[in-house]
Amino acid sequence: MLIAGNWKMNGLASSLAEVKALRQSLEATPAACDVLICPPTTLISRLAPETGPKIAVGAQDCAPKSSGAFTGDIAAEMLADAGASWVIVGHSERRQYHGETDSLIAEKTKAGWRAGLKVIVCVGELEAERVSGKAEDVVGKQLSFLADGATAANMVIAYEPVWAIGTGRIPTMEDIAAMHGFIRKTLAAKFPGEGDNMLIQYGGSVKPDNAAEIFKVKDVGGALVGGASLKAKDFLAIIRAV
Ligand code: PGA
């Protein structure tokens, strides 16, 4: 399993103390899963030397191009240079607030691979889409855009129902199982020999008190954690739930 923390637009130099606390605990008692922290870009190069071998560092987005006149954008190569080994692409907040399309997300995925990064691709339906019974159609369409060349080693899918992000609400375990099963079937058909082994994380209001139940669900390969990744104590409790 992979437990990944997405700090979103949170974190200053003072937040490094949380990472130190996490590192100490994981060095004393190793995690039963891989652990990743995706801080804001400004902290990647400061956090990378603090994490030690037990915690990987990733970015929350990357530009598709490797360099050039793209004011404000950050290339995947720059993230790798700063110490990142992962990048998240297609988070619903990027889709919603920055108008990111499935084809742009595929370009960003390839950019991450070009720079040697592993990529977490986020998918998930809106609440209205779930209510109207279209959740699988929506996620299936998002998955149909996944870039060629994906392997179990270079890509992880994060299933994050948009309505569960930051709301404290989560789907039923049956609904998580059904969607993860659907994603598994789709990946296995699209990437023969690889799709069966790709990790499929669940994301959206994962907390210390619901993590253990979620991790028991078939095909759940860890979690992408927002709010609860900001404090070492909560993030650690989720890691220990594995
Ligand atoms: P949340 O965010 O854990 O705060 O709901 C999850 C995410 O957006 O990845």
Side-chain angles (χ1 to χ4, degrees), residues 56-81:
V57 179
Q60 301 171 13
D61 178 43
C62 68
K65 295 277 200 292
S66 56
S67 64
F70 303 100
T71 302
D73 282 349
I74 310 278
E77 283 78 358
M78 295 168 175
L79 301 169
D81 186 51

Side-chain angles (χ1 to χ4, degrees), residues 4-6 8 88 91-93 122 158 160-162 164-169 202-207 223-229 238:
N6 170 14
K8 310 192 179 185
I88 300 169
H91 190 280
S92 66
E93 287 149 16
C122 302
E160 301 202 298
V162 179
I165 295 177
T167 60
R169 296 161 56 211
Y202 169 79
S205 295
V206 176
K207 305 287 177 205
L224 183 54
V225 184
S229 70
I238 293 170

Side-chain angles (χ1 to χ4, degrees), residues 150-152 155 183-200 219:
T151 68
M155 187 182 74
I183 294 173
R184 171 69 66 217
K185 208 175 67 190
T186 308
L187 293 175
K190 193 171 166 65
F191 303 107
E194 294 290 333
D196 279 323
N197 298 315
M198 287 173 178
L199 287 182
I200 308 168
D219 283 317

Side-chain angles (χ1 to χ4, degrees), residues 32-55:
C33 58
D34 292 326
V35 177
L36 166 66
I37 297 179
C38 300
T41 313
T42 47
L43 285 182
I44 290 174
S45 65
R46 298 174 79 167
L47 206 140
E50 302 290 338
T51 50
K54 309 277 181 204
I55 307 172

Side-chain angles (χ1 to χ4, degrees), residues 125-150:
E125 81 285 355
L126 303 172
E127 181 153 36
E129 293 164 341
R130 170 148 299 264
V131 171
S132 60
K134 296 203 175 73
E136 286 191 2
D137 291 348
V138 169
V139 171
K141 175 163 175 282
Q142 292 168 339
L143 295 174
S144 74
F145 281 84
L146 288 173
D148 290 342

